[in-house]
Amino acid sequence: MAEAERIIGTPETPDEAAAPEEHEERQPPRGKRRITALVLVAVLAYVLDLVSKLIVVAELEPGNRSVELLGEWLRLDVIRNPGAAFGFGEAFTIIFTVIAAAVIVVIFRLARKLYSAPWAVALGLLLGGALGNLTDRIFRSPGVFEGAVVDFVAPKHFAVFNLADAAIVCGGILIVLLSFKGLDPDGTVHKD
């Protein structure tokens, strides 16, 4: 009988029998997937970015107006940015378009294993921001995949940005904090 148990892999000692239970404890805590939270945050970030750009372009761009919100410390100024953050890489608009599309694909793939609410918020912010700027790159002049992003939030002594940029930065910061805390997208916590 012992020979048959050894051949088919039945544990022979109590220590060997405990090994599968230990393995089960390492499995990620499953609950509800957080795809709905990711989508809601992404849609909110995207809609806020899109609506703000539509309003700013319609109200400020025709006369090249500027609106002071907090005196000289914070203004609304419309600029068209074909490059990346801080105006870098203006000749590489198509590359930024491809990068934004790749980020979106990676987030959708990661969403299948998403069980952490904080990660859902972080990825939702990244997704909404990437979609907001990608929309500009596809649909704004000078042409498809070469469009300039509408930036309008102008703090004193800082680069002009938009709400999509703010969502991307906040999502990135949240991801760094979650990583430092050891929280993975699947809901597990690791200590490295």
Side-chain angles (χ1 to χ4, degrees):
M1 178 77 169
E3 181 66 27
E5 288 178 327
R6 190 175 54 80
I7 292 172
I8 60 171
T10 305
E12 295 180 11
T13 65
D15 291 336
E16 290 175 334
E21 289 175 14
E22 289 175 13
H23 179 68
E24 288 175 19
E25 288 178 26
R26 286 187 229 143
Q27 294 296 320
R30 298 292 181 192
K32 290 175 26 180
R33 281 196 181 137
R34 303 300 180 181
I35 296 172
T36 303
L38 179 143
V39 169
L40 288 175
V41 171
V43 166
L44 180 63
Y46 178 72
V47 168
L48 288 174
D49 178 65
L50 183 63
V51 169
S52 66
K53 288 174 181 173
L54 290 172
I55 291 170
V56 165
V57 167
E59 297 296 322
L60 299 182
E61 196 171 52
N64 234 3
R65 291 182 358 171
S66 177
V67 174
E68 289 187 356
L69 297 176
L70 295 173
E72 63 182 38
W73 292 99
L74 182 63
R75 297 183 334 268
L76 297 181
D77 281 327
V78 179
I79 66 164
R80 299 291 181 120
N81 181 3
F86 308 110
F88 291 120
E90 291 181 13
F92 302 106
T93 303
I94 190 75
I95 294 172
F96 298 128
T97 304
V98 170
I99 290 170
V103 166
I104 292 166
V105 169
V106 168
I107 291 171
F108 278 120
R109 290 190 55 123
L110 188 57
R112 294 180 300 169
K113 298 183 258 178
L114 186 62
Y115 289 90
S116 166
W119 270 94
V121 171
L123 293 175
L125 288 169
L126 283 179
L127 180 60
L131 285 170
N133 284 338
L134 184 61
T135 299
D136 282 357
R137 300 225 183 262
I138 293 173
F139 296 109
R140 296 204 186 268
S141 63
V144 176
F145 300 117
E146 296 178 356
V149 173
V150 174
D151 288 334
F152 58 91
V153 180
K156 186 176 182 177
H157 305 301
F158 195 73
V160 181
F161 61 95
N162 59 44
L163 297 185
D165 298 333
I168 291 168
V169 168
C170 290
I173 291 170
L174 185 53
I175 286 172
V176 169
L177 293 174
L178 293 172
S179 296
F180 276 129
K181 290 182 82 174
L183 181 61
D184 290 330
D186 65 2
T188 59
V189 178
H190 66 273
K191 296 175 182 174
D192 288 341

